[in-house]
Amino acid sequence: QVQLVESGGGLVQAGGSLRLSCAASRLTFNNYAMGWFRQAPGKEREFVAALSRSGGTTGYADSVKARFTISRDNAKNTVYLQMNSLKPEDTAVYYCAGKLSLYSDRVYTSDSYVYWGQGTQVTVSS
């Protein structure tokens, strides 16, 4: 079955950076729009960033705009989330998600994705 495996989480001080990776397998990766979501303790899962199949269109939550960048490498079946200027409120489990898309430049910001990874913990200390 389809697998999405996140990596790159960890503990970082406020103001620092991390890059998350999500490796996809058992799917035709360039047919899928991808997204990143996060869930902090006691809170609901929330949208972070989204990327179209082509990689040409992105979407971000207001809370991460200008700090986070989503990208993909279709040759490696991998989507990335570069996180800069991290804040303690960015602490959460981060999940990548995939959704088969008929449209090359559409992004999806709701949690209607079909496939989800197991999550990777990001902790930002103050």
Side-chain angles (χ1 to χ4, degrees):
Q1 67 274 21
V2 171
Q3 281 193 321
L4 300 177
V5 180
E6 301 97 335
S7 61
L11 174 64
V12 64
Q13 288 190 331
S17 297
L18 282 175
R19 188 176 81 153
L20 305 183
S21 300
C22 173
S25 59
R26 302 190 182 101
L27 53 73
T28 304
F29 186 66
N30 59 8
N31 286 344
Y32 282 75
M34 302 299 293
W36 286 95
F37 291 76
R38 67 186 181 187
Q39 187 167 21
K43 295 188 176 182
E44 292 188 353
R45 186 169 61 192
E46 65 175 0
F47 166 74
V48 175
L51 184 62
S52 62
R53 275 175 44 192
S54 69
T57 305
T58 57
Y60 296 94
D62 288 343
S63 59
V64 307
K65 274 181 185 175
R67 299 189 299 121
F68 290 11
T69 303
I70 188 171
S71 62
R72 67 192 295 160
D73 185 338
N74 284 348
K76 295 183 178 180
N77 285 10
T78 300
V79 62
Y80 304 97
L81 185 68
Q82 177 66 44
M83 305 186 295
N84 299 329
S85 302
L86 282 161
K87 305 175 181 180
E89 51 264 43
D90 294 319
T91 295
V93 177
Y94 282 71
Y95 299 90
C96 75
K99 180 183 178 76
L100 185 65
S101 178
L102 298 177
Y103 307 100
S104 62
D105 289 312
R106 181 168 292 182
V107 295
Y108 302 90
T109 60
S110 72
D111 62 356
S112 61
Y113 288 76
V114 174
Y115 300 110
W116 293 83
Q118 82 290 349
T120 186
Q121 176 71 47
V122 171
T123 303
V124 184
S125 63
S126 57

